[in-house]
Amino acid sequence: MPRALITGITGQDGRHLAQLLVGKGYDVYGMVRGQNNPKIHILQDETPELEIVEGDLQDLSSLIGVVEQVQPDEVYNLGAISFVALSFRQPELTADITGVGVLRMLEAIRVVGGTQDNRIRFYQASSSEMFGKVRETPQNEMTPFHPRSPYGTAKVFGHYTTLNYRESYGLHASSGILFNHEGFRRGLEFVTRKVTNAVARIKLGLQDTLTLGNLEASRDWGYAGDYVEAMWRMVQQDEPGDYVVATGETHTIRDLLEAAFQAAGIDDWQALVQTDPRFTRPAEVDLLIGDASKAREVLGWQPTVDFPTLIKMMVDHDLEVEARKARQVQ
Ligand code: GDR
């Protein structure tokens, strides 16, 4: 059985990827920092086959230990400080985990797997945030980067470090430049889930209004379940590479609001939404739209869930979860 090691296992993508790989017959190991992580029980309920191992992207020795212990065929580095707004408040921590953490994982693979004929394949979760103040639209693998946040600059470091290990040591190291991808496992701090959860609570009479930041920003939103399939396909190629993964469609936060309220059957929503500068960022990425032609042609990948379906799926899920929670309180 092939063996895979996933960092960032407690995040949305880690959870989707673990299920995908278990379904494909892999032995899957998920790395967490400290055994007391409160999300471990969710992982064990969701994917009982998953093995938990302890390691820390801030500590090279622990990563060498994990790679030695697991002896993986494939390493998926999804671990990061991934909330862009937080990266402005903790830029140094973000640079260390999201940026230098990639270098540490690659070093661990180089040390354990050896420089000659290293068989460990590596996937780096790069991000459309690297495009930032976009130089061209849509963005593809050749579009220059102009990151607009400490998170974005850290991801650029991780991306180029991946390329360097590929070119310097011949590692099979690929980088997926993933545009926003969402779903019912998305954290409540991210805008799609914040909106779908609030809309569900408003519909159920549990909340009156919703407060957001910049409503004009535009994102290319796909479904996380589709995007982890693209990660796996990259790693299966004979040659490593960089791939943009996106839907090629962009929507504003206003479009997101419209879709979410519509999914809950609320037509007149303008007065239910407020804005507060607390939720705006020191610098913003205004317009992201990806060109995933290479992923389509080389990987045979394409998204299967469109924007209205994605938002409806999330609203329906949140209606169910919030109604259940409300019943338990009564
Ligand atoms: P993003 O995701 O920064 O694109 O990064 P997020 O959902 O946080 O923001 C998207 C856009 O929505 C605007 N916005 C708000 N965002 C949040 N979170 N809360 C609000 O109240 C709000 N109001 C408006 C933001 O300003 C922004 O323009 C995500 C992360 O998953 C990254 O880790 C990943 O790399 C990229 O997607 C691709």
Side-chain angles (χ1 to χ4, degrees):
M1 272 201 203
R3 249 193 298 258
L5 171 65
I6 304 174
T7 72
I9 190 69
T10 57
Q12 166 187 255
D13 292 4
R15 290 163 62 189
H16 279 289
L17 183 63
Q19 287 189 319
L20 179 83
L21 296 182
V22 165
K24 289 185 187 293
Y26 280 68
D27 275 340
V28 183
Y29 296 79
M31 192 181 91
V32 296
R33 185 171 48 166
Q35 283 298 338
N36 291 330
N37 191 313
K39 288 192 179 157
I40 289 180
H41 74 271
I42 302 177
L43 293 172
Q44 286 166 338
D45 284 350
E46 231 167 52
T47 315
E49 300 86 347
L50 178 71
E51 298 259 5
I52 301 292
V53 289
E54 208 179 317
D56 187 340
L57 284 171
Q58 287 184 286
D59 180 53
L60 176 60
S61 308
S62 77
L63 299 180
I64 291 175
V66 167
V67 177
E68 264 174 349
Q69 177 194 342
V70 172
Q71 295 288 323
D73 300 290
E74 299 173 7
V75 174
Y76 294 84
N77 186 44
L78 315 184
I81 299 282
S82 65
F83 186 36
V84 175
L86 177 70
S87 79
F88 284 102
R89 294 196 290 276
Q90 295 195 273
E92 188 186 349
L93 182 72
T94 305
D96 197 36
I97 297 177
T98 306
V100 184
V102 185
L103 175 108
R104 292 191 191 100
M105 187 44 100
L106 284 161
E107 265 301 281
I109 291 171
R110 188 179 71 85
V111 168
V112 178
T115 41
Q116 290 294 312
D117 196 22
N118 190 324
R119 293 183 181 281
I120 305 173
R121 295 188 170 198
F122 178 76
Y123 170 84
Q124 168 56 17
S126 287
S127 163
S128 54
E129 281 294 301
M130 301 190 304
F131 296 125
K133 190 170 183 187
V134 298
R135 307 273 186 88
E136 62 182 358
T137 300
Q139 297 88 43
N140 63 32
E141 293 79 6
M142 303 308 291
T143 304
F145 299 138
H146 187 145
R148 297 270 281 173
S149 62
Y151 170 84
T153 58
K155 281 288 180 187
V156 170
F157 176 83
H159 178 77
Y160 281 126
T161 301
T162 304
L163 257 78
N164 263 272
Y165 273 67
R166 183 197 302 162
E167 292 172 1
S168 306
Y169 305 115
L171 278 189
H172 192 293
S174 293
S175 176
I177 306 174
L178 269 53
F179 281 61
N180 296 54
H181 42 286
E182 317 294 315
F184 51 91
R185 288 174 180 154
R186 195 56 148 145
L188 287 166
E189 67 272 37
F190 298 95
V191 76
T192 52
R193 187 77 195 286
K194 181 175 173 181
V195 166
T196 61
N197 185 262
V199 166
R201 290 176 56 82
I202 290 170
K203 175 77 178 174
L204 296 168
L206 301 167
Q207 182 173 329
D208 296 329
T209 55
L210 160 63
T211 307
L212 294 170
N214 175 11
L215 303 186
E216 309 311 326
S218 248
R219 288 291 184 280
D220 179 332
W221 279 298
Y223 172 51
D226 286 340
Y227 286 41
V228 297
E229 171 73 28
M231 296 176 187
W232 177 76
R233 289 192 188 195
M234 280 175 223
V235 176
Q236 308 319 306
Q237 299 305 302
D238 289 341
E239 297 299 326
D242 307 322
Y243 295 86
V244 159
V245 179
T247 69
E249 254 186 48
T250 194
H251 298 274
T252 63
I253 310 298
R254 280 185 199 285
D255 297 337
L256 163 67
L257 286 163
E258 177 67 37
F261 278 109
Q262 201 182 61
I266 302 173
D267 293 330
D268 203 7
W269 55 266
Q270 307 285 345
L272 304 174
V273 177
Q274 297 162 352
T275 56
D276 186 327
R278 212 158 37 100
F279 295 111
T280 58
R281 298 171 185 181
E284 180 61 282
V285 174
D286 292 321
L287 173 68
L288 285 177
I289 174 163
D291 172 2
S293 310
K294 182 179 171 190
R296 213 167 33 244
E297 282 155 25
V298 180
L299 307 177
W301 177 87
Q302 57 180 30
T304 66
V305 181
D306 68 11
F307 179 69
T309 310
L310 170 67
I311 302 305
K312 173 128 182 44
M313 180 204 297
M314 292 173 70
V315 169
D316 287 348
H317 173 86
D318 282 328
L319 278 168
E320 202 183 303
V321 170
E322 290 299 328
R324 193 181 332 126
K325 276 204 264 174
R327 279 197 302 275
Q328 280 162 358
V329 171
Q330 278 169 7

